[in-house]
Amino acid sequence: MQILPERPMVQTLGDSTILVRFGSRLDENANRRAIGFAAALESDGIAGIVEIVPSLVSVLLRYDPLISRHQDIEGEIRLLLHGVPEERAGAAHRIGVRFGGEAGPDLEEVAGLLRLSPEEFVARHNALPLRVLATGFAPGFVYGGFHPEALTLPRRDTVRPLVPAGSVLFAAGQTAITATDIPTGWHVIGHTDFANFAPDAEPPTRLRAGDSISFEVA
């Protein structure tokens, strides 16, 4: 039986923010629709919108209430939702990673849990490009997915107090990259010199939702 996508939900958050949600859980369809809708908002140029932030399954937009009324913004949103475009192909990036050792202290445990050798795990992990599902949570933090079901593990039971910027993380069928020092419950499998956050740059991040990332051994 075919599962139909959930109807988008438009939520008002305060007096100048609207959230459009495309699913109640993370899946490929909801993520692609969110990215496609964010791109449509950017190209449509609705008067008064000052910020568009795509997330894993939703898009948050802020508007200036001195320029446009809430009902006008919501009306434009609902018109766009009648024909949410396909996600556009983004830029492709190759990212070198030092796997295992001090750079990736959880690699051997992750491989063992998946009944693979560390070398087999790295080969399967790097075999196919991932889509950038979203950036956020912390500045420049990147969510990449999705790995096949056979490469899916839950997060760790404990949280590391701090991992350095450039840590390559693995959990829940995704690979993430940190751009700042943060605590995490993800498995740390490697480290990269790829820097996705420069606060003085415009835009401050190199990766965007919808881009593709391929990993290789550095």
Side-chain angles (χ1 to χ4, degrees):
M1 182 177 66
Q2 182 181 10
I3 299 176
L4 297 176
E6 296 182 38
R7 291 185 60 186
M9 179 181 298
V10 180
Q11 299 174 275
T12 300
L13 305 178
D15 61 355
S16 61
T17 306
I18 294 174
L19 181 73
V20 183
R21 183 177 292 277
F22 290 87
S24 54
R25 62 182 181 85
L26 174 59
D27 62 29
E28 187 89 20
N29 183 276
N31 178 255
R32 287 184 179 276
R33 294 170 75 204
I35 294 173
F37 180 67
L41 281 174
E42 290 176 354
S43 62
D44 200 62
I46 299 174
I49 292 181
V50 296
E51 186 177 23
I52 300 166
V53 184
S55 187
L56 290 169
V57 295
S58 63
V59 179
L60 181 142
L61 61 95
R62 292 193 307 109
Y63 63 93
D64 186 341
L66 298 179
I67 296 176
S68 294
R69 300 178 305 169
H70 176 275
Q71 56 265 42
D72 294 333
I73 296 286
E74 184 171 339
E76 294 283 357
I77 288 171
R78 294 190 182 279
L79 284 175
L80 279 179
L81 287 173
H82 281 296
V84 177
E86 292 291 324
E87 174 192 347
R88 300 169 187 168
H93 308 264
R94 296 196 69 84
I95 297 176
V97 178
R98 297 184 296 280
F99 288 94
E102 293 184 2
D106 296 328
L107 177 65
E108 290 195 11
E109 180 184 4
V110 165
L113 289 169
L114 294 172
R115 299 185 178 183
L116 300 169
S117 70
E119 295 76 15
E120 288 171 330
F121 169 79
V122 171
R124 294 192 185 187
H125 176 274
N126 295 358
L128 297 172
L130 302 180
R131 290 173 49 253
V132 175
L133 305 176
T135 61
F137 167 68
F141 188 93
V142 177
Y143 296 88
F146 293 98
H147 291 291
E149 185 67 28
L151 283 186
T152 299
L153 283 180
R155 298 184 186 187
R156 290 161 44 88
D157 292 332
T158 58
V159 174
R160 278 192 170 88
L162 201 69
V163 298
S167 293
V168 179
L169 313 178
F170 181 79
Q174 301 171 57
T175 292
I177 306 171
T178 68
T180 57
D181 299 352
I182 61 168
T184 186
W186 293 53
H187 305 277
V188 183
I189 60 171
H191 189 274
T192 180
D193 293 330
F194 182 89
N196 191 48
F197 180 63
D200 296 330
E202 183 54 47
T205 57
R206 296 168 63 183
L207 299 178
R208 298 189 63 185
D211 285 357
S212 69
I213 47 178
S214 299
F215 295 101
E216 58 189 14
V217 176

